[in-house]
Amino acid sequence: MSKQILSGNEAVARGAWEAGVRVAAAYPGTPSTEILENIAEYKDDLYATWANNEAIAAELAFGAAVGGMRSLTAMKHVGMNVAADPIFSGAYAGINGGMMIVSADDPGCHSSQNEQDNRLYAEHAKLIMLEPSDSQECLDFTKAAYELSEKYDMLALLRMTTRVCHSKSVVETGERTAPEIKPYNGDWTKYVVLPVNARRRHILLEQSIAKLREEGYSSPLNRIEMNEGATVGVISSGVSYQHAREAFGDTVSYLKLGITFPICGKLVKEFAAKFGKVVVIEEGEPYLSTRIKAMGVAAEAPDFIQGELNAAHIRAAFGIAEPGEKVDVSGLQDAPARPPVLCAGCPHRGFFYALSKRKGKFVGVGDIGCYTLGVNPPFNGMDICICMGSGFAIPIGLSRALEAQGDTRRVFGFVGDSTFFHSGFNSLVDAVHQKSNVCLVVLDNSITAMTGHQENAHTEKNLQGYQVPAIPIEKMVLATGLAPERLIEADPVDQDAIGRAIDAGIANEGVTVIITRRPCVLLKEEIKARGTKHCEVSAEKCVGCKACMKIACPALAFDEAQKKAYVADTANCTACGLCKQMCKVGAIGEVQ
Amino acid sequence: MSRTTNLLFTGVGGQGTILTTKLLSAALAEAGNDVKMSEIHGMAQRGGTVNTQLKFGDKVYALNIGEGEADYVVAFEKAEALRALPFLKKGGTLVMDEREIYSMPVLLGQQSYPSNWNSEVNAKDYKIIVVPAAKIASELGSTRNANVVLLGAIAKLLGVKINIPEKFGDAAKKAYEAGEGAVN
């Protein structure tokens, strides 16, 4: 036993290791990514790997679990949409070794495209759902999840939120106690979900749920905190409990549910009967309150569907005074906006700048990655971006719609190298097969960049640092039967080369594929290779035309008083040379 | 309700706010406090505003620090200090570096940078302590240690001592001590 300060994600990894997990797989996605990164550190005890997408990760973990090992898969909330198919049917089949799925939801969209509440998945897919509210519970609940998964032959869902994943608090850790690998029995009447088996498995699954519901009555994962003199009973779970505790303090009593599917009705009703007033506090969908009301409990449940919950929202809903008073900020100007931008030297800047010069000739469709920032001015590189995989598939339908109304603009689709393997390749096959008129661009920067540099099928090392074969994107593209002259590889910073590629994509009928090649400037080896190399603007030569400012590089600034451009942040400048190509008077040069 | 001390750290992605908060959290936990800190990151990690929060006391529940709830705001950048000011409570302390990092709307000339806001403000219900952290760190060998200078300053104000890990090097140790000295 020792005490450490761990994030929720680190604590889940630690708990899974302590529980004897032997296989872990995931596709990166904020705020879940660090779970796999941390569990991968236990190299001698388990196999941890990135998978090309969340469905593959879930299937890989399911395979290990059916084979008799305890396994884990982790994903961000929208990743669970991708993995839903194996999860829903895998739940019918059940497991052999325990299996836990982590869903990291993102209320408030800190780094996501929606605020979906994956608690609804647990009931729908029939998964044991545990909701930790701090790092200690992340560790404890993870261990409990494996016990329950094996006891009830069910898949377990550990449902987290950004605030739980990324908050650090003190955790008491333990040692690893790994159960023996269970013998694989190959029982096809269980694991082949033919209708005849599925109907029978469904009955057994419902029986397991009923038994687990009963266990919730005495389980230490559900906790009652009685406070003297309290006339209000608050029911809550996950991080919402912490916010409730912050807002109400000891003035109310609490039922903190750790098992939130199935919900133990007996426990809830007994607790509710002790109070004149029952309040349900929950962030997101009215998941608990709807089910608790259906039990016949007259509960009050304020609506916190949108955004991230905090104690102030609860105080406002119940008329509780704020604990602090703001300082006087009257008369102060607003701080200038600081939107996220493509980094100085980012290869995507070169591509989106070249594309923006062809305004009116294209319609852009994006995907999820750093390149989504190409939507921002001055690039205005895309009109549509909804999910992983959308970059290559939406253009197939959109191009038909535009053609039908005489819009001659070429539809361009963008994916990254990691996104290409996630789901882009499938769509490319369809685009070629269906003879679409689209230009599909793989913005290859040699890494899964936005989530913080994770390896993918295109890298030569894997998550645990071992050498693996890098899968060549260009060969996969040509394997579709696309004519070789329709595949163009170019350095996106080289404006002539990338400009020619884009022009070909606009002019060509049928499918054109462009692969832009240049590594992310934040890769360690790239940083080392460039050392202190950066650009400098000669004040003598600069004529103040601002041509270089058009690329919106965060390292470049313009002195309005002197009417000169200058490199404001030399440590940030990577000497990529894009600004140099903008300058018509040769004022920009490289220095060490 | 138990009383907690609330700190908000703010800066621009890449300035080391998260590392600073981690080191301070560890020291506060070592001193027997219950501690919670956030490290929300993701889309904004490069070039965007980064806020980390730290709460400590006998027992900490929710982490989110609302407006008017921070005992201390530690700002690594001048415009971010201004942005975070509503989080400071009356009687609280703003510790700030005067380093200016221009955001894209400023670089493009669409918005102006508030270079003089703290000299013009009449801070009657709070305290501003300016620590020229980037400047001090640069004089000691590396601008990168600006976060360690601010760490020294806030640790001194909170009355804790942080052992800077050996691997950070001598310049970091000196930066920490300079930070402690800056709030005397």
Side-chain angles (χ1 to χ4, degrees), chain B residues 30 35 51 132-133 150 160 172-173 176:
Chain B
E30 189 71 23
V35 178
N51 286 332
L150 284 166
V160 286
K173 277 194 177 156
Y176 177 82

Side-chain angles (χ1 to χ4, degrees), chain A residues 369-440:
Chain A
C370 292
Y371 46 86
T372 314
L373 293 171
V375 68
N376 288 333
F379 310 117
N380 308 311
M382 64 194 75
D383 296 347
I384 305 168
C385 172
I386 55 167
C387 64
M388 293 290 294
S390 64
F392 273 14
I394 288 175
I396 303 173
L398 180 64
S399 59
R400 290 199 171 268
L402 296 190
E403 280 162 29
Q405 53 198 288
D407 188 333
T408 57
R409 289 177 295 170
R410 180 71 65 224
V411 179
F412 273 62
F414 319 118
V415 302
D417 45 325
S418 187
T419 332
F420 177 78
F421 289 103
H422 181 281
S423 39
F425 177 68
N426 295 329
S427 314
L428 169 67
V429 170
D430 259 342
V432 174
H433 183 64
Q434 297 180 27
K435 297 187 181 176
S436 271
N437 292 316
V438 292
C439 179
L440 303 178

Side-chain angles (χ1 to χ4, degrees), chain A residues 311-470:
Chain A
H313 290 158
I314 300 174
R315 289 188 201 108
F318 290 90
I320 302 168
E322 285 293 325
E325 209 181 327
K326 260 198 277 188
V327 298
D328 181 11
V329 293
S330 56
L332 285 172
Q333 78 170 90
D334 288 338
R338 199 181 291 279
V341 290
L342 293 170
C343 301
C346 176
H348 303 327
R349 175 174 289 102
F351 173 77
F352 281 108
Y353 179 71
L355 188 69
S356 72
K357 301 259 284 183
R358 278 110 182 137
K359 193 180 165 190
K361 294 181 179 169
F362 73 92
V363 174
V365 180
D367 211 298
I368 310 296
C370 292
Y371 46 86
T372 314
L373 293 171
V375 68
N376 288 333
F379 310 117
N380 308 311
M382 64 194 75
D383 296 347
I384 305 168
C385 172
I386 55 167
C387 64
M388 293 290 294
S390 64
F392 273 14
I394 288 175
I396 303 173
L398 180 64
S399 59
R400 290 199 171 268
L402 296 190
E403 280 162 29
Q405 53 198 288
D407 188 333
T408 57
R409 289 177 295 170
R410 180 71 65 224
V411 179
F412 273 62
F414 319 118
V415 302
D417 45 325
S418 187
T419 332
F420 177 78
F421 289 103
H422 181 281
S423 39
F425 177 68
N426 295 329
S427 314
L428 169 67
V429 170
D430 259 342
V432 174
H433 183 64
Q434 297 180 27
K435 297 187 181 176
S436 271
N437 292 316
V438 292
C439 179
L440 303 178
V441 186
V442 185
L443 296 152
D444 174 13
N445 61 357
S446 313
I447 201 76
T448 313
M450 191 162 78
T451 41
H453 288 181
Q454 287 73 35
E455 299 78 8
N456 60 46
H458 188 43
T459 55
E460 286 170 351
K461 275 202 178 132
N462 68 6
L463 171 62
Q464 289 185 306
Y466 300 113
Q467 286 288 325
V468 284

Side-chain angles (χ1 to χ4, degrees), chain A residues 129-159:
Chain A
M129 175 160 58
L130 306 184
E131 282 188 82
S133 71
D134 62 16
S135 296
Q136 183 69 57
E137 288 186 350
C138 285
L139 186 143
D140 296 341
F141 285 21
T142 294
K143 292 168 86 168
Y146 286 98
E147 297 299 325
L148 293 174
S149 171
E150 289 176 3
K151 183 173 176 185
Y152 293 102
D153 193 9
M154 287 172 70
L155 307 186
L157 174 72
L158 190 78
R159 192 268 186 169

Side-chain angles (χ1 to χ4, degrees), chain A residues 267-290:
Chain A
L267 181 67
V268 169
K269 281 189 261 184
E270 273 188 24
F271 175 78
K274 294 189 175 93
F275 301 96
K277 183 174 161 182
V278 175
V279 171
V280 178
I281 298 293
E282 61 187 324
E283 180 178 60
E285 298 294 328
Y287 167 76
L288 291 177
S289 64
T290 305

Side-chain angles (χ1 to χ4, degrees), chain A residues 53-119:
Chain A
N53 65 41
E54 295 84 351
I56 298 170
E59 284 156 358
L60 195 161
F62 181 74
V66 170
M69 288 174 166
R70 287 189 168 181
S71 72
L72 173 146
T73 183
M75 55 202 71
K76 70 179 293 166
H77 58 345
V78 289
M80 199 154 165
N81 304 334
V82 178
D85 199 4
I87 289 172
F88 273 68
S89 298
Y92 273 37
I95 39 79
N96 181 19
M99 174 169 166
M100 184 176 83
I101 302 149
V102 184
S103 171
D105 296 7
D106 191 17
C109 292
H110 290 282
S111 50
S112 302
Q113 51 272 50
N114 75 26
E115 295 185 301
Q116 71 183 57
D117 185 338
N118 281 4
R119 292 181 301 168

